[in-house]
Amino acid sequence: MSAHAFDVGGGEHCPFMPVFGPPARMIVRGSGTEVWDSEGRRLLDFLSGIAVVSLGHANERVAQAISDQARTLVHVSNFFANPVATSAAQQIDALLAEATGQHGQIFFTNSGAEANECAIKLARRHGGRGRHTVVSALGSFHGRTLATLAATGQPSKHEPFQPMPEGFRHVAWGDLDAMTAAVDASVAAVLIESIQGEGGVQPAPVGYLEGIRALCDATGALMIVDEVQTGFARTGRWFGFEHAGVSPDVVTMAKGMGNGMPVGACWAPNSIARSFSPGDHGSTFSGTALATSAVLAVIEEMTRLDAPALAVAGGERIRQALADRPGIDGVRGSGLLLGVELASGVVAADVAAGCLESGLIVNAVNASTIRLAPPLTVSEAEIDEAAEILSGVVSRLVSEGTSDE
Ligand SMILES: *Cc1c(COP(=O)(O)O)cnc(C)c1O
């Protein structure tokens, strides 16, 4: 063991608050799909910092953009405009205009939770007094701030922090009848993911988003789609809702949009965005030139590479490589946001730990599912290598499981 500058084992001398489990490794460097730990071991990163580093670690064009910007202008406050945020907002709007047929406006944030926080406040402002409720799905994940935690459909995460903010309601995921019953005159918005990411990589059932769109049209509630994990080409389209052919009223995004720079956004068509007035919302760091320089580089590079097509091809190759492997019951998801469903008796946490030992980073998103979200730039050889490691670990666990019986 090499000596670390500080204890990262989660003990008393660890410099971080104990909200995360003990870190598995100290990662010091990355390039593309590969990272290296403090002992010099190479790991294949099939998680990308939770679907964040979509263009690969230390991407040259993003690195160039942020280092140039750091020497030009980092931040000026929102008393002034800067050309970088302006052009990033225009380009995101162009992507969403293409996807929805409507032009809109952007509020930049520093995270996914803040993007959803903005969407929730916009929905309340748009709905007006008495029409403030937000309905979301059980199993959803929308963030860790109090309001986005309240919107998150995981009651166990609420318990330690009761009382939750008022005005949130949850219904079973994928159940349109339950959703219909929940959307009454007090509802300002439905907040929904196109694929539940943290919830275990659960794609919206066929017709679900279309049904919610129709319900929102009928009731006047806003349809907010949380694309924080699914946006920016991850699922094989620029935004996950495009697979269903619906046009949301509000779209939130973050993870993949800065390739690791902390940046997010909330978008809404002008007719809805204008419910906000000056002073209604804000953030010191909204749309800094530095963060949005990464966004511009990401959009340019994703466009140049046709990142949605890369996600489709990569996802297809992973599915083929994992087909008919012992201990793997199936692969769900879309593009390069995939959930590998393990056979009963195979514990996802054991698989993730075994993969890490064998040089592959994956995530046990729930007890029986491994989440794969490699960079969209992952090579075929890297996919094949990862598939061999993963299926090798699973089949070893399957044979150990049977020999125990
Ligand atoms: C990660 C995530 C969030 C929260 O984003 P943060 O940047 O961690 O605040 C919100 N919604 C979805 C769907 C996510 O996957």
Side-chain angles (χ1 to χ4, degrees), residues 24-25 27 35 37 41-47 322 328 340 342 346-364 369-372 382-397 400:
R25 293 286 171 91
I27 303 293
V35 294
D37 71 10
R41 285 192 51 178
R42 166 192 175 266
L43 299 159
L44 268 184
D45 187 359
F46 268 54
L47 186 58
L322 294 179
I328 294 178
V340 179
L342 303 167
V346 184
V347 179
D350 295 344
V351 173
C355 285
L356 186 64
E357 277 312 305
S358 305
L360 174 66
I361 299 174
V362 296
N363 162 249
T369 310
I370 291 292
R371 171 171 47 184
L372 300 179
E382 287 164 339
I383 288 176
D384 298 346
E385 185 186 349
E388 284 312 312
I389 295 174
L390 177 60
S391 50
V393 168
V394 172
S395 75
R396 180 168 56 73
L397 288 169
E400 282 172 11

Side-chain angles (χ1 to χ4, degrees), residues 111-114 116 141-144 193 198 226 228-229 254-255:
S111 68
E114 287 172 81
N116 285 331
F141 184 81
H142 299 297
R144 299 285 197 164
E193 292 160 273
E198 300 309 302
D226 178 346
V228 169
Q229 187 156 160
K255 289 188 167 92

Side-chain angles (χ1 to χ4, degrees), residues 84-399:
V84 191
T86 306
S87 124
Q90 285 164 340
Q91 296 203 18
I92 294 169
D93 181 52
L95 292 172
L96 280 155
E98 175 96 24
T100 67
Q102 294 190 81
H103 278 284
Q105 294 172 311
I106 296 281
F107 179 80
F108 280 116
T109 68
N110 311 288
S111 68
E114 287 172 81
N116 285 331
E117 193 79 33
C118 175
I120 292 164
K121 284 181 70 178
L122 179 60
R124 284 194 174 190
R125 198 74 169 93
H126 186 76
R129 274 289 159 93
R131 184 164 200 180
H132 63 270
T133 305
V134 171
V135 184
S136 52
L138 287 168
S140 63
F141 184 81
H142 299 297
R144 299 285 197 164
T145 63
L146 273 174
T148 60
L149 179 62
T152 291
Q154 301 184 43
S156 64
K157 288 189 162 66
H158 297 168
E159 269 333 293
F161 303 102
Q162 293 289 9
M164 284 288 109
E166 280 177 42
F168 295 88
R169 199 174 280 172
H170 302 100
V171 293
W173 167 246
D175 182 341
L176 210 45
D177 292 337
M179 183 63 82
T180 306
V183 178
D184 58 26
S186 80
V187 171
V190 173
L191 170 60
I192 205 86
E193 292 160 273
S194 52
I195 297 177
Q196 285 191 339
E198 300 309 302
V201 191
Q202 307 287 354
V206 174
Y208 188 51
L209 296 180
E210 297 90 322
I212 292 174
R213 178 67 274 173
L215 177 62
C216 288
D217 286 340
T219 58
L222 297 181
M223 179 178 185
I224 306 171
V225 179
D226 178 346
E227 291 279 347
V228 169
Q229 187 156 160
T230 46
F232 281 79
R234 174 59 52 191
T235 69
R237 305 292 297 263
W238 278 95
F239 296 96
F241 66 77
E242 293 181 70
H243 295 280
V246 297
S247 292
D249 298 308
V250 182
V251 179
T252 60
M253 63 208 86
K255 289 188 167 92
M257 75 186 275
N259 210 49
M261 278 296 276
V263 60
C266 176
W267 172 94
N270 303 35
S271 57
I272 293 165
R274 71 164 167 252
S275 298
F276 271 154
S277 305
D280 278 347
H281 196 52
S283 165
T284 302
F285 294 125
S286 175
T288 68
L290 185 65
T292 52
S293 73
V295 177
L296 276 180
V298 164
I299 294 174
E300 195 184 318
E301 192 62 354
M302 283 189 169
T303 305
R304 188 182 72 82
L305 296 170
D306 194 358
L310 293 181
V312 170
E316 199 43 53
R317 191 170 183 100
I318 293 182
R319 283 171 189 275
Q320 280 168 14
L322 294 179
D324 305 318
R325 300 279 196 165
I328 294 178
D329 273 0
V331 178
R332 58 176 181 265
S334 187
L336 282 171
L337 181 58
L338 298 173
V340 179
E341 187 60 32
L342 303 167
S344 86
V346 184
V347 179
D350 295 344
V351 173
C355 285
L356 186 64
E357 277 312 305
S358 305
L360 174 66
I361 299 174
V362 296
N363 162 249
V365 70
N366 63 31
S368 64
T369 310
I370 291 292
R371 171 171 47 184
L372 300 179
L376 308 181
T377 51
V378 64
S379 72
E380 294 188 343
E382 287 164 339
I383 288 176
D384 298 346
E385 185 186 349
E388 284 312 312
I389 295 174
L390 177 60
S391 50
V393 168
V394 172
S395 75
R396 180 168 56 73
L397 288 169
V398 167
S399 56

